[in-house]
């Protein structure tokens, strides 16, 4: 196992090289974790990623294309780990660019740099019967804490710091973005029981008085551009990584059983065409993000729609050509399908597409 990296030695390129050398081990850890039903955080996998420098590769700003390639490559090994890295990198960037407390930022990034701190971004409110939504409280001594519940908290039990959407206590008004110490939060590991994305540990969390380390002055900080769109594009890179696995597994299965009929050939061609579509969208997003394009929000919505469609095409073609056996006996293709179907359901893109279309018509 390698030693922890520092900003001086960790880059996306070095992290990708380390990932390639450890991909088999990470894959074995992912397969083992997938068999556990207790909802625990994948400590072994995330710890190894920290040792390899994967979680520290963006402590300083890097080209977007390299960052997306890193998320995609990790998700190709394990979609759930890719989701954890995606959320971690979202938080690392927000820590760098949105928090104005220089000492806090320096201290937090130093811990990220040596692999000791896992970050997240938690925005989902609880549903009916799941507990009170997160509320900000001010104590008599001036300290601030957050009480209440968030759901779909990816990395729960492993994330020590999180950007969380909160409201003032007793105020139904706009939410504000808070950076919290969630190491003492109470994780309901029985909440997330789905078959897919088990390793993402996306549970219900009772914040239980989590200390506020920073609070945005104005509402809407989570939606501030270009960071909100960059978050969305990283997520799509994770989808792409899972789809890469599906394509690779499909080709390997068909070659292994000598399937070279027209149906199989057509499925492979369609899957690879969808994969190429994904490549082009991510390339375009990287150029737009680094060029600070004003069209990035619209591109991010269109990109997610098109990549989601490409992923579904790949999954459909894989099932049609491979048949039921890989999904009955389990393995990487079956797990990738479970993970991606669950992951895609967490993002409702149609309302965003409607807004983008209306902007064009109104213009």
């Amino acid at each position: 196992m390698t030693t922890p990296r520092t900003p001086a030695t960790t880059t996306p390129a070095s992290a990708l090289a380390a990932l390639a050398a450890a991909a088999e081990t990470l894959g074995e850890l992912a397969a083992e974790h997938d068999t556990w039903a207790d909802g625990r955080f994948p400590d072994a996998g995330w710890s190894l990623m920290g040792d390899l420098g994967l979680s520290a590769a963006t402590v300083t700003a890097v080209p977007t294309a390299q960052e997306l390639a890193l998320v995609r490559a990790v998700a190709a090994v394990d979609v759930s780990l890719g989701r954890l890295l995606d959320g971690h990198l979202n938080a690392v960037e927000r820590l760098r660019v949105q928090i104005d407390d220089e000492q806090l930022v320096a201290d937090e990034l130093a811990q990220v740099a040596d692999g000791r701190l896992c970050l997240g971004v938690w925005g989902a409110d609880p549903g009916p019967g799941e507990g009170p939504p997160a509320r900000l409280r001010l104590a008599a001594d001036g300290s601030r804490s957050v009480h209440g519940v968030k759901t779909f908290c990816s990395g729960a039990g492993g994330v020590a710091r999180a950007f969380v959407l909160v409201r003032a206590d007793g105020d139904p008004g706009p939410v504000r973005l808070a950076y919290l110490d969630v190491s003492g939060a109470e994780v309901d590991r029985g909440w997330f029981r789905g078959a897919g994305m088990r390793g993402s540990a996306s549970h219900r969390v009772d914040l239980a008085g989590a200390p506020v380390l920073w609070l945005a002055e104005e509402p809407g900080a989570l939606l501030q551009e270009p960071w909100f769109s960059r978050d969305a594009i990283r997520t799509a890179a994770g989808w792409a990584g899972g789809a890469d696995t599906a394509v690779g597994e499909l080709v390997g299965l068909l070659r292994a059983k000598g399937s070279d009929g027209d149906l199989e050939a057509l499925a492979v061609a369609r899957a690879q065409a969808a994969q190429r579509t994904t490549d082009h969208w991510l390339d375009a997003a990287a150029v737009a993000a680094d060029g600070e394009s004003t069209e990035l929000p619209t591109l991010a919505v269109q990109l997610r729609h098109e990549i989601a469609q490409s992923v579904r095409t790949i999954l459909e073609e894989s099932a049609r050509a491979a048949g039921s056996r890989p999904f009955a006996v389990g393995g990487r293709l079956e797990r990738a399908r479970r993970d991606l179907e669950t992951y895609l359901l967490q993002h409702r893109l149609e309302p965003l597409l409607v807004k983008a279309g209306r902007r064009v018509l109104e213009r």
Side-chain angles (χ1 to χ4, degrees):
M1 183 174 291
T2 60
T3 56
R5 307 283 179 146
T6 66
T9 59
T10 299
T11 65
S14 66
L16 278 171
L19 174 63
E24 183 176 352
T25 299
L26 275 173
E28 291 171 354
L29 290 173
E32 179 183 0
H33 187 276
D34 192 60
T35 65
W36 299 338
D38 61 3
R40 76 184 75 173
F41 179 83
D43 288 296
W46 184 261
S47 178
L48 179 54
M49 286 176 56
D51 290 342
L52 297 172
L54 295 167
S55 58
T58 64
V59 167
T60 56
V62 300
T64 300
Q66 296 180 17
E67 188 174 11
L68 297 180
L70 187 61
V71 173
R72 186 173 181 173
V74 171
V77 175
D78 177 21
V79 178
S80 289
L81 279 180
R83 174 66 188 101
L84 295 179
L85 181 63
D86 157 32
H88 173 79
L89 297 185
N90 291 345
V92 168
E93 181 169 64
R94 288 180 179 277
L95 179 62
R96 284 194 290 104
V97 302
Q98 289 193 289
I99 292 183
D100 51 8
D101 184 335
E102 294 183 3
Q103 188 59 57
L104 173 64
V105 172
D107 291 345
E108 298 291 284
L109 289 180
Q111 294 185 71
V112 172
D114 64 13
R116 291 187 292 121
L117 199 61
C118 180
L119 310 182
V121 181
W122 297 345
D125 283 333
E130 292 179 340
R135 297 287 183 180
L136 179 69
R137 291 185 188 173
L138 179 64
D141 62 2
S143 62
R144 297 176 296 191
S145 61
V146 174
H147 300 253
V149 170
K150 303 299 285 189
T151 54
F152 287 103
C153 299
S154 294
V159 165
R161 305 280 195 271
F163 284 93
V164 178
L165 290 177
V166 302
R167 288 184 173 88
D169 202 14
D171 182 1
V175 294
R176 294 168 68 185
L177 186 64
Y179 185 61
L180 308 181
D181 177 352
V182 296
S183 57
E186 299 174 4
V187 179
D188 177 6
R189 298 200 309 192
W191 183 82
F192 189 95
R193 297 188 294 271
M197 301 297 288
R198 290 178 183 170
S200 69
S202 297
H203 299 304
R204 171 186 173 275
V205 171
D206 186 338
L207 295 167
V212 175
L213 304 178
W214 170 86
L215 182 67
E217 291 296 329
E218 301 293 334
L222 182 68
L223 304 179
Q224 186 176 343
E225 293 291 355
W227 323 119
F228 186 68
S229 292
R230 289 174 61 84
D231 292 352
I233 292 165
R234 288 189 196 94
T235 295
W239 298 346
D244 291 340
T245 291
V247 174
E249 288 295 299
L250 172 63
V251 172
L253 286 168
L254 295 179
R255 284 176 174 167
K257 68 177 186 178
S259 303
D260 57 358
D262 290 346
L263 176 64
E264 291 83 0
L266 181 60
V268 169
R270 284 175 171 167
Q272 290 191 326
Q275 193 176 30
R276 182 65 61 85
T277 296
T278 293
D279 295 342
H280 289 313
W281 274 105
L282 290 176
D283 289 345
V287 172
D290 289 344
E292 300 181 358
S293 170
T294 58
E295 293 299 312
L296 188 64
T298 298
L299 185 147
V301 173
Q302 295 171 338
L303 170 145
R304 282 189 291 165
H305 174 265
E306 291 302 307
I307 291 181
Q309 292 295 99
S310 294
V311 170
R312 291 186 176 102
T313 294
I314 288 169
L315 295 179
E316 289 169 3
E317 296 299 334
S318 298
R320 182 178 296 114
S324 62
R325 181 177 293 276
F327 304 99
V329 301
R332 295 188 70 199
L333 179 57
E334 186 267 341
R335 190 168 78 244
R337 183 187 182 98
R338 273 192 284 119
D339 287 346
L340 288 168
E341 287 179 342
T342 300
Y343 201 178
L344 290 175
L345 285 173
Q346 295 176 10
H347 297 262
R348 292 188 65 234
L349 300 176
E350 288 79 5
L352 299 176
L353 285 166
V354 168
K355 288 181 181 179
R358 281 180 175 163
R359 283 197 298 269
V360 172
L361 295 176
E362 292 168 356
R363 198 180 303 162

